[in-house]
Amino acid sequence: MSDSHSPTLAGERDQSLRIALYPGTFDPITNGHLNIIERGLRLFDRIIVTIAVNEQKAPFFSLEERLDMIRKCFPDSKQVAVGYTDGLIVDYALRHGAQTIVRGLRALSDFDYEFQMALMNRRLEHSVDTVFLMTGFRWIFISSSSIKNAARCKGNITGLAPAHVVAALQEKFA
């Protein structure tokens, strides 16, 4: 796998734009993720949704499926790009002109892990900052794992993820 994948985004790179990276596994993308992206777009001109490939994790959906699911959420968007990396997030951010990493927080337990990651990223590359956004109250209880578990047990996950993601989960568990 290559760490040199360029995100899909129309237009030339404009150095005056405020670009942020929103990394995650997105296995699959949920309405909680979409809430963070939508709110992040109030702060940044562009967000690169970046699948962080981690060989130690065994994702349910393939990389290609996850990329496709995210792209379907933002058809023809000039503000949202989609990419992936199997390298350091801060290196990927620098290569693509992102000055900030956006992370969502649902609970205090998320903060401990995210704070440690933010400090490590800051140590690795001091010019890239991390911004934390609290997940909207409507989505604070959901995670990709909880949605997959509910779908596996034939639970009603309608409204927790985009319709095409719900359909993909239902198809996988049929």
Side-chain angles (χ1 to χ4, degrees):
M1 179 166 306
S2 170
D3 184 33
S4 62
H5 174 75
S6 294
T8 54
L9 185 63
E12 295 294 317
R13 189 182 310 171
D14 182 343
Q15 298 299 337
S16 68
L17 293 178
R18 293 167 304 162
I19 301 171
L21 212 67
Y22 181 32
T25 307
F26 303 106
D27 187 35
I29 191 165
T30 70
N31 285 346
H33 294 128
L34 295 178
N35 175 259
I36 295 294
I37 295 165
E38 290 165 5
R39 291 176 39 237
L41 287 171
R42 292 187 221 151
L43 303 171
F44 302 98
D45 300 308
R46 290 185 179 159
I47 293 182
I48 304 171
V49 180
T50 308
I51 295 176
V53 178
N54 182 342
E55 297 298 325
Q56 296 172 342
K57 287 188 176 183
F60 184 70
F61 288 101
S62 71
L63 174 62
E64 293 75 23
E65 289 171 316
R66 290 179 283 152
L67 288 166
D68 185 56
M69 283 190 269
I70 298 168
R71 286 183 185 122
K72 285 181 179 174
C73 294
F74 305 98
D76 306 317
S77 176
K78 295 193 185 319
Q79 290 183 284
V80 178
V82 181
Y84 68 89
T85 184
D86 59 357
L88 292 174
I89 292 297
V90 291
D91 290 345
Y92 190 83
L94 289 176
R95 279 195 305 280
H96 297 289
Q99 307 88 3
T100 309
I101 295 170
V102 172
R103 297 298 294 157
L105 296 174
R106 291 170 299 186
L108 191 57
S109 58
D110 288 345
F111 180 76
D112 185 49
Y113 172 78
E114 295 295 344
F115 185 67
Q116 289 178 36
M117 288 298 293
L119 290 174
M120 177 57 86
N121 286 333
R122 184 79 171 159
R123 169 62 177 81
L124 293 169
E125 181 49 60
H126 69 279
S127 68
V128 177
D129 287 312
T130 300
V131 170
F132 298 107
L133 294 176
M134 293 300 299
T135 302
F137 288 126
R138 184 174 180 191
W139 311 116
I140 206 156
F141 68 95
I142 67 170
S143 67
S144 295
S145 296
S146 65
I147 291 173
K148 285 184 291 199
N149 287 334
R152 182 178 294 113
C153 296
K154 309 294 186 236
N156 182 1
I157 58 169
T158 303
L160 300 178
H164 65 276
V165 172
V166 170
L169 282 163
Q170 290 169 338
E171 183 178 318
K172 285 249 190 190
F173 289 118

